Amino acid sequence: RSRRRKKPPRRKYSSSDSESEEDPKPRRKRGGMWDQGPAPGTTGFGVAPTIPTLGLPSVPGVHPMMLTATNQHAARQARRVYLGNVTHVIVEAELVNFLNERIKAVPERTPLNPALEPVVSVTMNREKAYAFVEFHSEQDADIAVCMDGILFKGVIPLKIRRPKDYQPPQDGKQRVYHVPGIVSTNVEDGPNKVFIGNLPQKLGDAEVKEFLSTYGALKSFHLVKDSSTGLAKGYAFFEYADEKITDEACKGLNGIELAGKNLVCQRANIGAKPNANVSASLMGAVTNPALLGLPQLNSLPGLNKGGLLAQGIPGLLPLIPITPIIPGQNVGPSRILVLQNIIKEADLADNSEYEDVKADIKEECERMGGPVKEVLIPRKEPQMQESALAVQGLGKVFIEFETQEGANKARLSLGGRKFNGRVVLSRFLSEEHYKKGLLDA
């Protein structure tokens, strides 16, 4: 009697970072190798950014893909918030509905897709009473942070913060929003930020906000307190929802006697003079990048004429980020989507598994973007084992969509997702290069 050869068990896949790819697991049905991603048409967090070519070389000792992965993680963290005081009585579905309704009520909100709800997912830790919430856009996360202290069901105050490793972008965009009925604790630096000092220490948040509100509704307020004692330091920052009343309020509040003290109220100074030693160090690094192990900036093309040096250094002299260009990253929108870090050569050896992976990727791409004409996964044939260099695009997946719009939707949705435990990178390839077989362009 003939015996059928048993196939080796399929590798384990998961959206969890802690699970190993080497643990054996029975083959699962198609569609299982993708993590649980956002709904179709939404923005992913790991899209390889499109940036202009400046002729910058790679940072010595750092692989470009490592820097891209770091950027992708930062992009995802920009769309997430931490929720504290998530007690056992809070039901996840009710929390999601509560956040969605509050965020959609903000007049200044400009959603990427009005048909989509703001919240993508919620991860709750019941034992420690906290949760992480991921949104479709950075703006929705910014709005959520402005809801810090909001009462869930009118009784449970929610603590809303950014993740610890969140890096706020220095792009000048609005980060503080007025949520109707909510006074944010995050007062954004800007022309309408107001300082009030000489406050009696015995006054708490509620008392100070009460007399400030006599001039109009507050957009944000923060009473500065001593971290060790919890006592007020005697000054606060705030902003009105209607910026037109700022000057009137400053004029009316300044000099008022309160509990034996004359208040000082004026528009806050934006920024501060940096420490002289720190400033000198930063300027030295900018004018002499060799101190950081980088090449001279004035020797790089694209920097002197309209480049970074010509633009100056805004704010408090932040270091100039030098981001290497990933080949093909500056390609404009195309019908050809390239997925990288998604497949390994060993995954393509078995013909049956090769077809399963191909169908799995096509199914997810059509779900996220739209109709797909072709999925191309280059691989070495058995007779080509000695000529790996002859195979263009090895280790990548190329998807040809019916429309450019579909390709772009899939690029935004799939970039940064996980497939078989690997974080996927996404970018475009020009249709001309694709037709000519120049898959490594």
Side-chain angles (χ1 to χ4, degrees):
R1 178 183 297 178
S2 62
R3 293 184 178 180
R4 299 176 66 181
R5 180 172 62 87
K6 293 184 177 179
K7 293 183 180 179
R10 196 169 185 174
R11 268 177 299 282
K12 188 176 182 179
Y13 61 90
S14 173
S15 60
S16 171
D17 296 333
S18 62
E19 293 179 336
S20 170
E21 294 179 18
E22 304 301 326
D23 295 337
K25 188 172 184 178
R27 173 175 291 182
R28 303 179 83 165
K29 65 179 181 179
R30 254 194 283 151
M33 298 188 76
W34 287 97
D35 64 348
Q36 296 299 315
T42 60
T43 303
F45 56 82
V47 180
T50 301
I51 54 180
T53 302
L54 298 177
L56 293 173
S58 298
V59 175
V62 181
H63 194 280
M65 296 297 286
M66 293 177 63
L67 292 179
T68 301
T70 301
N71 293 339
Q72 292 172 346
H73 176 74
R76 186 194 182 202
Q77 294 300 76
R79 296 188 294 107
R80 300 177 77 221
V81 299
Y82 163 90
L83 261 65
N85 200 28
V86 182
T87 63
H88 66 281
V89 299
I90 296 180
V91 179
E92 181 177 327
E94 293 180 347
L95 177 62
V96 170
N97 291 335
F98 176 78
L99 294 174
N100 283 336
E101 293 303 316
R102 287 288 185 168
I103 291 174
K104 289 190 296 183
V106 175
E108 302 164 290
R109 179 175 180 257
T110 54
L112 298 174
N113 186 341
L116 296 175
E117 298 290 350
V119 176
V120 174
S121 63
V122 176
T123 303
M124 305 181 74
N125 186 319
R126 292 293 187 182
E127 293 182 1
K128 297 184 178 180
Y130 72 81
F132 281 96
V133 182
E134 184 171 346
F135 297 91
H136 282 301
S137 68
E138 292 183 28
Q139 185 188 52
D140 288 341
D142 291 332
I143 294 174
V145 173
C146 296
M147 294 163 51
D148 180 40
I150 190 172
L151 296 178
F152 180 74
K153 290 190 173 182
V155 292
I156 304 175
L158 296 178
K159 180 180 179 182
I160 306 178
R161 298 285 189 274
R162 285 291 191 178
K164 290 183 178 180
D165 55 348
Y166 167 70
Q167 296 294 330
Q170 303 298 322
D171 54 8
K173 292 183 179 179
Q174 180 181 357
R175 298 291 170 190
V176 178
Y177 297 84
H178 177 53
V179 181
I182 300 297
V183 178
S184 173
T185 58
N186 179 25
V187 184
E188 185 179 43
D189 283 335
N192 299 310
K193 180 178 181 179
V194 181
F195 166 85
I196 186 165
N198 223 13
L199 291 167
Q201 288 189 324
K202 65 179 182 180
L203 294 182
D205 295 69
E207 290 86 355
V208 178
K209 285 193 290 186
E210 182 179 8
F211 74 76
L212 293 180
S213 298
T214 57
Y215 286 89
L218 290 171
K219 177 179 181 180
S220 56
F221 170 83
H222 175 59
L223 179 63
V224 180
K225 299 178 182 179
D226 189 297
S227 58
S228 58
T229 64
L231 298 176
K233 288 189 174 183
Y235 63 95
F237 296 95
F238 64 95
E239 182 178 351
Y240 285 106
D242 182 3
E243 61 183 43
K244 296 178 182 178
I245 66 174
T246 302
D247 288 330
E248 180 185 355
C250 288
K251 182 179 179 179
L253 293 169
N254 189 53
I256 284 184
E257 184 179 340
L258 186 64
K261 291 187 175 184
N262 292 324
L263 300 181
V264 176
C265 186
Q266 62 187 35
R267 290 180 184 266
N269 293 324
I270 302 173
K273 293 181 179 180
N275 180 284
N277 294 329
V278 175
S279 178
S281 300
L282 292 177
M283 286 304 296
V286 172
T287 56
N288 183 17
L291 295 176
L292 300 178
L294 300 174
Q296 289 290 337
L297 293 180
N298 56 13
S299 66
L300 303 178
L303 287 183
N304 290 326
K305 296 182 179 180
L308 295 176
L309 295 183
Q311 296 172 12
I313 307 171
L316 300 179
L317 306 177
L319 290 176
I320 299 175
I322 297 181
T323 306
I325 306 298
I326 297 177
Q329 202 177 33
N330 57 336
V331 175
S334 161
R335 291 189 305 109
I336 311 302
L337 178 66
V338 184
L339 301 181
Q340 299 174 220
N341 196 42
I342 187 172
I343 207 78
K344 290 185 177 180
E345 185 179 339
D347 300 328
L348 308 176
D350 182 85
N351 288 332
S352 178
E353 183 161 347
Y354 173 81
E355 294 299 329
D356 280 352
V357 168
K358 198 172 181 180
D360 192 353
I361 293 174
K362 181 179 181 181
E363 181 179 301
E364 190 71 2
C365 285
E366 289 188 326
R367 189 174 78 89
M368 289 297 179
V372 170
K373 292 184 66 175
E374 179 185 34
V375 174
L376 175 63
I377 308 180
R379 64 171 177 169
K380 292 187 297 185
E381 299 299 333
Q383 64 273 19
M384 297 176 63
Q385 294 299 321
E386 302 298 325
S387 57
L389 295 177
V391 180
Q392 290 234 358
L394 196 63
K396 305 173 187 174
V397 177
F398 301 83
I399 304 99
E400 181 181 3
F401 284 83
E402 293 281 357
T403 65
Q404 190 179 101
E405 181 184 5
N408 192 47
K409 285 182 179 179
R411 180 182 72 94
L412 294 171
S413 299
L414 300 179
R417 295 261 313 272
K418 284 189 176 182
F419 184 87
N420 203 16
R422 306 182 190 101
V423 177
V424 178
L425 304 176
S426 60
R427 65 176 177 85
F428 289 121
L429 178 70
S430 73
E431 295 182 38
E432 181 181 358
H433 285 151
Y434 183 72
K435 290 177 181 178
K436 292 181 178 179
L438 302 176
L439 304 182
D440 287 330

